[in-house]
Amino acid sequence: MLTPEQARIYSFKVVPSLPDNLKPLLEIAQNMWWTWHPEAVDLFVRVDRQLWTESGHNPVKLLGSVSQDRLDELANDESFIAAMQRVHERLSLHLRQTTWYQRNHPETDNCCIAYYCAEFGLHESLPIYSGGLGILAGDHVKSASALGLPFVGVGLLYRHGYFQQYLNADGWQQEFYPDLDFANLSVQPIEASGGEQLTVQVRLPGRDVTVAVWRVNVGRVRLFLLDTNLPDNEPGDRAITSQLYGGDMDMRIRQEIVLGIGGTRALEAMGISPTVYHMNEGHAAFLALERIRRLIEDHGVSFDEARTAGAAGNVFTTHTPVPAGIDRFPADMVERYFADYVGSIKLDNEGLLALGRENVFNKNESFSMAVLALRCSDSANGVSKLHGKVSRDMWKSIWPGVASEEVPIGWVTNGIHARTWLSADLTRLFDRYLSADWQTTPEAHSVWESVKDIPDEELWRVRQDRRQRLVTWVRWKMRESLKRRGAGSAEIAKAGEVLDHEALTIGFARRFATYKRANMLLRDPARLARILNNTDRPVQFVLAGKAHPADTQGKELIREILHFAREHNAVRRIVFVENYDMNVARYLVQGVDVWLNNPRRPMEASGTSGMKAAMNGVLNLSILDGWWDEAYREAENKDLGWAIGSGELYANYEYQDQVESQALYDLLEKQVVPMFYNRPDGLPHEWVAWVKNCLRTLGPAFNTTRMVQEYAEKFYIPAHNRSVKLTGDGLDDAVDLTTYVDHLRAHWGEVKVETIEADTAQPLGVSQPMGVHAVVQLGRIEPDQVKVQLYYGPLDGDGRIRKATSVDMNHVEGLGDGRFRYHGELSAPNSGQHGFAVRVIPGDQRLATPFIPGLILWDSQAAPTPKTAKPKPVAVS
């Protein structure tokens, strides 16, 4: 006899049954636009407040769970219907109105940008994100919609999302993985022509894996999510989209094949032809191989020709400041997974592996997804000014002979989606005192100047209300947690006493990785206890964050903090909020007074939690790393937060932690706490002045409206134009450009700087020009195929050029036998010891960058470290 588990099951979908006049509610619920519009959220709260909480703030589940009687009641509630119609009209206006992109870039009407990321943090009701990377991606998509970019997203639809966290009685992190019910989420299957769900296939060793395609509407943007949990697939492959960042290396490479190759095939199957492919981190880098394969298949070109054409439209953003954070796969694993693929891109195994190695000759080096992305993209960037520099230093070996500052990796500093993270109270305050443009153009500095006009009393009242709301919510959250744990009534009652509505409240919330140093506060327990337990000027901390399930050290950090609180009578002053997600983050960044961030510099690529806090008038207390290094150093007025240290780097981590922890205590005791409690007339006027300065300075600079505009101007539109040019006309330009580079490679060994003539014997006046002549042997390379440049600047103590400037030298005459004379001029804008060198680089204007690995020659055949001979450095007076 069959068991229920063996019975054939016929599935069908049940959808909310709404009265006709409530149908717009479902349309609103199925577009994530509602997540950044408080009036839309209010609608769903009005439907049923308790169900809204129990559903995890999921409007689709809410509408499918509410009683029919309640729906009928709402259908006859004129006030509710009027509010719903206003929200629906705002959504409709968003979808049809003319946008920034349409107004400013009508010439790129055939542009399409595909944005790939392993995680997207749009809202806590769709938990397919782990932290900063995913939330940044979600904010990016929201601003792309607001700005009207021709934009689609590509990601994975994880059946269990990211793990949920709770702590046992000892403070040790425990994990569980909820089963996401796609039918009750704001996701919809993409239908194929026959009415069934659209699927594509990717090849894994010995079998094909079927991938289903879903869609999430985010305003104007369509986010496509891929799912392998299908009956056609074997159990191991159904699990590919089971968990975000779960499993071993073998699972990770399968996920990244599905994302990069499967995602590209899904777009093609839907008739979407991007001109720009943005890889947000290296997880999606296999898309570059799939693009090369399709170009070879369609045009019969070589690998190099297809790579040239494909790279023109590829943009790669790295978020990782340390090599250890990059996905790397063993060579044999890559060979196994691409055994059936490598021939289709006209490479052998060694050729494929070389694409992912910094040193292409080192066969023991693992395969790096970041290196693959860099080698197959004409555009690359870090996510803050400092991170751009760190990335150039980290990856400079890919471009041997190129000075670090000229390595072709730029930066776009991250931002946050203001309307997602700004509290409703501040939103209303800004509506009263700022121009109406603050919501539509948050990047405009002039809009934020009116923050000065907000009365101190009103701004401080908002800050107090948000702190009180945070404290009330934390108490409720702790009581619920204790109830689930089976705690006694006395312990549950004590949870109602944690925190103080009036006390200085400091927030710390992020992934509990060791380099983020969550326990730096604890290095001097007695001193911290004095700060916490000062009855006149109390201080309290609210912490949250998850450690990766495999990170025992990260879990120990959480446990250490909770044990400290118990052992030092500080359980009311140090509170850890379980299961950090976007909902927890909103309460914290809107409710605390100070945001603490103390990573080990320079390991924080950007960090966006501090930006969210700053947007809410929370002052940052941070190490000068990531975005804060840029924000604090470049601000005209430093009265917007505090810097821990001055950006020093230490070889001894133990010593660094000691020095910086003492600096943190000093700041708290001598500056932060006294200013907060200095209230001569009942108001902390200096504190409020800093809050205003924080809002005015950081609000317009660190939001995703500015960020996405910058991506469009610096990367997307140039990549689109190059892509259209190099992939048009049967790839003729790409083939010609590849032939040009091949010619340079074939004859680069013939290039030599033979002589340099310059009068360096006498000091040079400031801004006085100095002529330089050079004779260069080019062999079978023509003068118009290269640039001969002067590379000059002030010298450091080791005789190296720093803050260099480069200028093209002019071809003067041919001397026969492939020899040519060049002339150029340089000048120094200030006095001191200066130097110059001469170099030869590719000169074709069609190149995205003249710095092609292996094609740079210095007159010394070495990197630019001029010595005090031939000719001597110049003393400028």
PDB file of all heavy atoms in Angstrom, residues 83 100 106 126 143 194 215 272 278 321 328 394 398 417 488 515 583 607 646 687 695 734 750 764 793 814 839 853:
ATOM      1  N   ALA A  83      -7.384  55.970   0.609  1.00  0.00           N
ATOM      2  CA  ALA A  83      -5.937  55.858   0.850  1.00  0.00           C
ATOM      3  C   ALA A  83      -5.303  54.879  -0.134  1.00  0.00           C
ATOM      4  O   ALA A  83      -4.225  55.131  -0.674  1.00  0.00           O
ATOM      5  CB  ALA A  83      -5.688  55.419   2.290  1.00  0.00           C
ATOM      6  N   TRP A 100      15.118  60.875 -14.787  1.00  0.00           N
ATOM      7  CA  TRP A 100      16.440  61.487 -14.948  1.00  0.00           C
ATOM      8  C   TRP A 100      17.158  60.901 -16.154  1.00  0.00           C
ATOM      9  O   TRP A 100      17.742  61.647 -16.955  1.00  0.00           O
ATOM     10  CB  TRP A 100      17.261  61.251 -13.677  1.00  0.00           C
ATOM     11  CG  TRP A 100      18.708  61.622 -13.813  1.00  0.00           C
ATOM     12  CD1 TRP A 100      19.254  62.856 -13.637  1.00  0.00           C
ATOM     13  CD2 TRP A 100      19.801  60.760 -14.182  1.00  0.00           C
ATOM     14  NE1 TRP A 100      20.617  62.825 -13.861  1.00  0.00           N
ATOM     15  CE2 TRP A 100      20.981  61.545 -14.193  1.00  0.00           C
ATOM     16  CE3 TRP A 100      19.895  59.404 -14.479  1.00  0.00           C
ATOM     17  CZ2 TRP A 100      22.232  61.013 -14.506  1.00  0.00           C
ATOM     18  CZ3 TRP A 100      21.140  58.869 -14.791  1.00  0.00           C
ATOM     19  CH2 TRP A 100      22.295  59.672 -14.804  1.00  0.00           C
ATOM     20  N   PRO A 106      19.013  60.606 -23.719  1.00  0.00           N
ATOM     21  CA  PRO A 106      18.110  60.066 -24.743  1.00  0.00           C
ATOM     22  C   PRO A 106      18.859  59.381 -25.884  1.00  0.00           C
ATOM     23  O   PRO A 106      18.265  58.591 -26.623  1.00  0.00           O
ATOM     24  CB  PRO A 106      17.369  61.317 -25.242  1.00  0.00           C
ATOM     25  CG  PRO A 106      18.321  62.447 -24.972  1.00  0.00           C
ATOM     26  CD  PRO A 106      19.007  62.074 -23.689  1.00  0.00           C
ATOM     27  N   LEU A 126      11.552  39.158   1.989  1.00  0.00           N
ATOM     28  CA  LEU A 126      12.180  38.356   0.935  1.00  0.00           C
ATOM     29  C   LEU A 126      13.628  38.111   1.360  1.00  0.00           C
ATOM     30  O   LEU A 126      14.554  38.771   0.899  1.00  0.00           O
ATOM     31  CB  LEU A 126      12.109  39.095  -0.405  1.00  0.00           C
ATOM     32  CG  LEU A 126      12.571  38.323  -1.653  1.00  0.00           C
ATOM     33  CD1 LEU A 126      11.733  37.072  -1.860  1.00  0.00           C
ATOM     34  CD2 LEU A 126      12.516  39.220  -2.891  1.00  0.00           C
ATOM     35  N   SER A 143      17.147  52.594  -6.665  1.00  0.00           N
ATOM     36  CA  SER A 143      17.507  53.884  -7.266  1.00  0.00           C
ATOM     37  C   SER A 143      17.550  53.802  -8.779  1.00  0.00           C
ATOM     38  O   SER A 143      17.253  54.786  -9.461  1.00  0.00           O
ATOM     39  CB  SER A 143      18.854  54.365  -6.711  1.00  0.00           C
ATOM     40  OG  SER A 143      18.701  54.864  -5.394  1.00  0.00           O
ATOM     41  N   GLY A 194       4.357  28.285 -23.998  1.00  0.00           N
ATOM     42  CA  GLY A 194       3.297  27.302 -23.813  1.00  0.00           C
ATOM     43  C   GLY A 194       2.515  27.461 -22.530  1.00  0.00           C
ATOM     44  O   GLY A 194       1.622  26.664 -22.249  1.00  0.00           O
ATOM     45  N   ARG A 215      10.333  36.302 -11.371  1.00  0.00           N
ATOM     46  CA  ARG A 215      10.474  37.756 -11.490  1.00  0.00           C
ATOM     47  C   ARG A 215       9.972  38.441 -10.219  1.00  0.00           C
ATOM     48  O   ARG A 215       8.951  38.061  -9.661  1.00  0.00           O
ATOM     49  CB  ARG A 215       9.681  38.283 -12.682  1.00  0.00           C
ATOM     50  CG  ARG A 215       9.859  39.799 -12.901  1.00  0.00           C
ATOM     51  CD  ARG A 215       8.953  40.341 -13.996  1.00  0.00           C
ATOM     52  NE  ARG A 215       7.572  40.464 -13.553  1.00  0.00           N
ATOM     53  CZ  ARG A 215       6.530  39.860 -14.134  1.00  0.00           C
ATOM     54  NH1 ARG A 215       6.726  39.072 -15.182  1.00  0.00           N
ATOM     55  NH2 ARG A 215       5.307  40.039 -13.676  1.00  0.00           N
ATOM     56  N   ILE A 272      15.863  39.382 -23.938  1.00  0.00           N
ATOM     57  CA  ILE A 272      16.522  40.575 -23.387  1.00  0.00           C
ATOM     58  C   ILE A 272      17.977  40.550 -23.812  1.00  0.00           C
ATOM     59  O   ILE A 272      18.690  39.563 -23.569  1.00  0.00           O
ATOM     60  CB  ILE A 272      16.409  40.602 -21.852  1.00  0.00           C
ATOM     61  CG1 ILE A 272      14.931  40.676 -21.443  1.00  0.00           C
ATOM     62  CG2 ILE A 272      17.191  41.772 -21.267  1.00  0.00           C
ATOM     63  CD1 ILE A 272      14.696  40.494 -19.954  1.00  0.00           C
ATOM     64  N   HIS A 278      26.844  44.084 -15.564  1.00  0.00           N
ATOM     65  CA  HIS A 278      27.511  44.542 -14.343  1.00  0.00           C
ATOM     66  C   HIS A 278      27.609  43.374 -13.366  1.00  0.00           C
ATOM     67  O   HIS A 278      26.598  42.862 -12.884  1.00  0.00           O
ATOM     68  CB  HIS A 278      26.718  45.688 -13.715  1.00  0.00           C
ATOM     69  CG  HIS A 278      27.398  46.310 -12.538  1.00  0.00           C
ATOM     70  ND1 HIS A 278      26.930  47.454 -11.936  1.00  0.00           N
ATOM     71  CD2 HIS A 278      28.515  45.973 -11.839  1.00  0.00           C
ATOM     72  CE1 HIS A 278      27.718  47.780 -10.925  1.00  0.00           C
ATOM     73  NE2 HIS A 278      28.685  46.882 -10.842  1.00  0.00           N
ATOM     74  N   PRO A 321      38.410  43.838   0.203  1.00  0.00           N
ATOM     75  CA  PRO A 321      39.710  44.503   0.345  1.00  0.00           C
ATOM     76  C   PRO A 321      40.861  43.563   0.687  1.00  0.00           C
ATOM     77  O   PRO A 321      41.985  44.032   0.861  1.00  0.00           O
ATOM     78  CB  PRO A 321      39.453  45.488   1.485  1.00  0.00           C
ATOM     79  CG  PRO A 321      38.442  44.799   2.328  1.00  0.00           C
ATOM     80  CD  PRO A 321      37.597  43.943   1.427  1.00  0.00           C
ATOM     81  N   ARG A 328      37.876  31.452  -4.606  1.00  0.00           N
ATOM     82  CA  ARG A 328      38.927  30.786  -5.373  1.00  0.00           C
ATOM     83  C   ARG A 328      38.613  29.294  -5.406  1.00  0.00           C
ATOM     84  O   ARG A 328      38.233  28.716  -4.392  1.00  0.00           O
ATOM     85  CB  ARG A 328      40.308  31.012  -4.745  1.00  0.00           C
ATOM     86  CG  ARG A 328      40.746  32.477  -4.710  1.00  0.00           C
ATOM     87  CD  ARG A 328      42.068  32.638  -3.968  1.00  0.00           C
ATOM     88  NE  ARG A 328      42.441  34.039  -3.814  1.00  0.00           N
ATOM     89  CZ  ARG A 328      43.165  34.725  -4.690  1.00  0.00           C
ATOM     90  NH1 ARG A 328      43.605  34.118  -5.782  1.00  0.00           N
ATOM     91  NH2 ARG A 328      43.459  35.998  -4.483  1.00  0.00           N
ATOM     92  N   MET A 394      46.145  45.782  -4.518  1.00  0.00           N
ATOM     93  CA  MET A 394      45.945  44.341  -4.369  1.00  0.00           C
ATOM     94  C   MET A 394      46.071  43.604  -5.688  1.00  0.00           C
ATOM     95  O   MET A 394      46.570  42.478  -5.749  1.00  0.00           O
ATOM     96  CB  MET A 394      44.565  44.086  -3.749  1.00  0.00           C
ATOM     97  CG  MET A 394      44.321  42.637  -3.368  1.00  0.00           C
ATOM     98  SD  MET A 394      42.921  42.446  -2.236  1.00  0.00           S
ATOM     99  CE  MET A 394      41.537  42.767  -3.302  1.00  0.00           C
ATOM    100  N   ILE A 398      48.493  41.992 -11.888  1.00  0.00           N
ATOM    101  CA  ILE A 398      47.866  41.623 -13.167  1.00  0.00           C
ATOM    102  C   ILE A 398      48.363  42.533 -14.283  1.00  0.00           C
ATOM    103  O   ILE A 398      48.380  42.145 -15.453  1.00  0.00           O
ATOM    104  CB  ILE A 398      46.328  41.679 -13.041  1.00  0.00           C
ATOM    105  CG1 ILE A 398      45.858  40.626 -12.028  1.00  0.00           C
ATOM    106  CG2 ILE A 398      45.637  41.462 -14.384  1.00  0.00           C
ATOM    107  CD1 ILE A 398      44.372  40.668 -11.752  1.00  0.00           C
ATOM    108  N   HIS A 417      19.805  53.807  -0.077  1.00  0.00           N
ATOM    109  CA  HIS A 417      18.542  54.299  -0.617  1.00  0.00           C
ATOM    110  C   HIS A 417      17.810  55.045   0.498  1.00  0.00           C
ATOM    111  O   HIS A 417      17.263  54.435   1.428  1.00  0.00           O
ATOM    112  CB  HIS A 417      17.702  53.133  -1.140  1.00  0.00           C
ATOM    113  CG  HIS A 417      16.449  53.569  -1.838  1.00  0.00           C
ATOM    114  ND1 HIS A 417      15.206  53.424  -1.281  1.00  0.00           N
ATOM    115  CD2 HIS A 417      16.262  54.152  -3.044  1.00  0.00           C
ATOM    116  CE1 HIS A 417      14.283  53.896  -2.116  1.00  0.00           C
ATOM    117  NE2 HIS A 417      14.901  54.343  -3.192  1.00  0.00           N
ATOM    118  N   GLY A 488      11.668  31.535  32.477  1.00  0.00           N
ATOM    119  CA  GLY A 488      10.670  31.743  33.503  1.00  0.00           C
ATOM    120  C   GLY A 488      10.098  33.147  33.472  1.00  0.00           C
ATOM    121  O   GLY A 488      10.652  34.066  32.855  1.00  0.00           O
ATOM    122  N   TYR A 515      37.654  40.579  11.886  1.00  0.00           N
ATOM    123  CA  TYR A 515      38.304  41.834  11.539  1.00  0.00           C
ATOM    124  C   TYR A 515      37.445  43.045  11.875  1.00  0.00           C
ATOM    125  O   TYR A 515      37.936  44.175  11.957  1.00  0.00           O
ATOM    126  CB  TYR A 515      38.703  41.855  10.057  1.00  0.00           C
ATOM    127  CG  TYR A 515      37.585  42.154   9.086  1.00  0.00           C
ATOM    128  CD1 TYR A 515      37.259  43.463   8.739  1.00  0.00           C
ATOM    129  CD2 TYR A 515      36.854  41.133   8.480  1.00  0.00           C
ATOM    130  CE1 TYR A 515      36.247  43.746   7.847  1.00  0.00           C
ATOM    131  CE2 TYR A 515      35.844  41.394   7.579  1.00  0.00           C
ATOM    132  CZ  TYR A 515      35.536  42.706   7.269  1.00  0.00           C
ATOM    133  OH  TYR A 515      34.528  42.976   6.379  1.00  0.00           O
ATOM    134  N   ASN A 583      14.737  44.635   9.107  1.00  0.00           N
ATOM    135  CA  ASN A 583      13.829  45.226  10.078  1.00  0.00           C
ATOM    136  C   ASN A 583      14.592  45.651  11.336  1.00  0.00           C
ATOM    137  O   ASN A 583      14.418  46.772  11.833  1.00  0.00           O
ATOM    138  CB  ASN A 583      12.732  44.221  10.441  1.00  0.00           C
ATOM    139  CG  ASN A 583      11.685  44.818  11.354  1.00  0.00           C
ATOM    140  OD1 ASN A 583      11.171  45.909  11.112  1.00  0.00           O
ATOM    141  ND2 ASN A 583      11.376  44.112  12.433  1.00  0.00           N
ATOM    142  N   GLY A 607      31.279  49.776   3.777  1.00  0.00           N
ATOM    143  CA  GLY A 607      30.407  49.868   4.932  1.00  0.00           C
ATOM    144  C   GLY A 607      29.272  50.823   4.626  1.00  0.00           C
ATOM    145  O   GLY A 607      29.507  51.960   4.225  1.00  0.00           O
ATOM    146  N   SER A 646      43.972  58.091  13.385  1.00  0.00           N
ATOM    147  CA  SER A 646      44.194  58.955  12.224  1.00  0.00           C
ATOM    148  C   SER A 646      44.453  58.164  10.952  1.00  0.00           C
ATOM    149  O   SER A 646      45.066  58.674  10.026  1.00  0.00           O
ATOM    150  CB  SER A 646      45.377  59.892  12.509  1.00  0.00           C
ATOM    151  OG  SER A 646      45.126  60.682  13.651  1.00  0.00           O
ATOM    152  N   TRP A 687      25.202  69.147  20.361  1.00  0.00           N
ATOM    153  CA  TRP A 687      24.932  67.833  19.765  1.00  0.00           C
ATOM    154  C   TRP A 687      23.998  67.982  18.562  1.00  0.00           C
ATOM    155  O   TRP A 687      24.240  67.413  17.494  1.00  0.00           O
ATOM    156  CB  TRP A 687      24.308  66.912  20.814  1.00  0.00           C
ATOM    157  CG  TRP A 687      24.139  65.487  20.345  1.00  0.00           C
ATOM    158  CD1 TRP A 687      23.115  64.977  19.593  1.00  0.00           C
ATOM    159  CD2 TRP A 687      25.037  64.403  20.587  1.00  0.00           C
ATOM    160  NE1 TRP A 687      23.315  63.639  19.351  1.00  0.00           N
ATOM    161  CE2 TRP A 687      24.487  63.265  19.956  1.00  0.00           C
ATOM    162  CE3 TRP A 687      26.235  64.282  21.275  1.00  0.00           C
ATOM    163  CZ2 TRP A 687      25.112  62.013  20.004  1.00  0.00           C
ATOM    164  CZ3 TRP A 687      26.861  63.042  21.333  1.00  0.00           C
ATOM    165  CH2 TRP A 687      26.305  61.932  20.692  1.00  0.00           C
ATOM    166  N   LEU A 695      23.638  65.655   8.710  1.00  0.00           N
ATOM    167  CA  LEU A 695      22.595  65.517   7.693  1.00  0.00           C
ATOM    168  C   LEU A 695      22.928  66.330   6.441  1.00  0.00           C
ATOM    169  O   LEU A 695      22.786  65.850   5.309  1.00  0.00           O
ATOM    170  CB  LEU A 695      21.252  65.976   8.265  1.00  0.00           C
ATOM    171  CG  LEU A 695      20.640  65.085   9.353  1.00  0.00           C
ATOM    172  CD1 LEU A 695      19.470  65.795  10.019  1.00  0.00           C
ATOM    173  CD2 LEU A 695      20.185  63.747   8.762  1.00  0.00           C
ATOM    174  N   ALA A 734      36.053  44.724 -33.169  1.00  0.00           N
ATOM    175  CA  ALA A 734      36.680  43.869 -32.154  1.00  0.00           C
ATOM    176  C   ALA A 734      37.784  43.029 -32.775  1.00  0.00           C
ATOM    177  O   ALA A 734      38.861  42.848 -32.186  1.00  0.00           O
ATOM    178  CB  ALA A 734      35.634  42.977 -31.497  1.00  0.00           C
ATOM    179  N   GLU A 750      60.838  44.024 -29.538  1.00  0.00           N
ATOM    180  CA  GLU A 750      61.718  44.865 -30.348  1.00  0.00           C
ATOM    181  C   GLU A 750      61.776  46.307 -29.855  1.00  0.00           C
ATOM    182  O   GLU A 750      62.614  47.098 -30.304  1.00  0.00           O
ATOM    183  CB  GLU A 750      61.232  44.852 -31.806  1.00  0.00           C
ATOM    184  CG  GLU A 750      61.166  43.444 -32.411  1.00  0.00           C
ATOM    185  CD  GLU A 750      60.409  43.426 -33.741  1.00  0.00           C
ATOM    186  OE1 GLU A 750      60.187  44.520 -34.302  1.00  0.00           O
ATOM    187  OE2 GLU A 750      60.015  42.327 -34.195  1.00  0.00           O
ATOM    188  N   LEU A 764      65.624  73.821 -11.999  1.00  0.00           N
ATOM    189  CA  LEU A 764      64.543  74.279 -12.873  1.00  0.00           C
ATOM    190  C   LEU A 764      63.614  75.161 -12.051  1.00  0.00           C
ATOM    191  O   LEU A 764      63.308  74.855 -10.893  1.00  0.00           O
ATOM    192  CB  LEU A 764      63.778  73.072 -13.421  1.00  0.00           C
ATOM    193  CG  LEU A 764      62.748  73.298 -14.523  1.00  0.00           C
ATOM    194  CD1 LEU A 764      63.443  73.666 -15.828  1.00  0.00           C
ATOM    195  CD2 LEU A 764      61.906  72.035 -14.714  1.00  0.00           C
ATOM    196  N   GLY A 793      57.165  63.526 -11.656  1.00  0.00           N
ATOM    197  CA  GLY A 793      56.571  64.007 -10.426  1.00  0.00           C
ATOM    198  C   GLY A 793      57.613  64.130  -9.340  1.00  0.00           C
ATOM    199  O   GLY A 793      58.798  63.833  -9.549  1.00  0.00           O
ATOM    200  N   GLY A 814      61.564  60.143 -38.193  1.00  0.00           N
ATOM    201  CA  GLY A 814      62.064  58.782 -38.294  1.00  0.00           C
ATOM    202  C   GLY A 814      63.552  58.798 -38.586  1.00  0.00           C
ATOM    203  O   GLY A 814      64.031  59.599 -39.397  1.00  0.00           O
ATOM    204  N   ARG A 839      58.338  56.132 -21.002  1.00  0.00           N
ATOM    205  CA  ARG A 839      57.738  54.815 -21.193  1.00  0.00           C
ATOM    206  C   ARG A 839      57.020  54.761 -22.529  1.00  0.00           C
ATOM    207  O   ARG A 839      56.676  55.796 -23.126  1.00  0.00           O
ATOM    208  CB  ARG A 839      56.761  54.500 -20.074  1.00  0.00           C
ATOM    209  CG  ARG A 839      55.510  55.382 -20.063  1.00  0.00           C
ATOM    210  CD  ARG A 839      54.626  55.054 -18.884  1.00  0.00           C
ATOM    211  NE  ARG A 839      53.411  55.869 -18.859  1.00  0.00           N
ATOM    212  CZ  ARG A 839      52.535  55.873 -17.858  1.00  0.00           C
ATOM    213  NH1 ARG A 839      52.753  55.118 -16.789  1.00  0.00           N
ATOM    214  NH2 ARG A 839      51.455  56.632 -17.918  1.00  0.00           N
ATOM    215  N   PRO A 853      48.090  44.131 -19.920  1.00  0.00           N
ATOM    216  CA  PRO A 853      49.126  43.328 -19.261  1.00  0.00           C
ATOM    217  C   PRO A 853      50.237  42.911 -20.223  1.00  0.00           C
ATOM    218  O   PRO A 853      49.985  42.356 -21.297  1.00  0.00           O
ATOM    219  CB  PRO A 853      48.346  42.109 -18.748  1.00  0.00           C
ATOM    220  CG  PRO A 853      46.978  42.648 -18.481  1.00  0.00           C
ATOM    221  CD  PRO A 853      46.737  43.650 -19.579  1.00  0.00           C
TER     222      PRO A 853
END
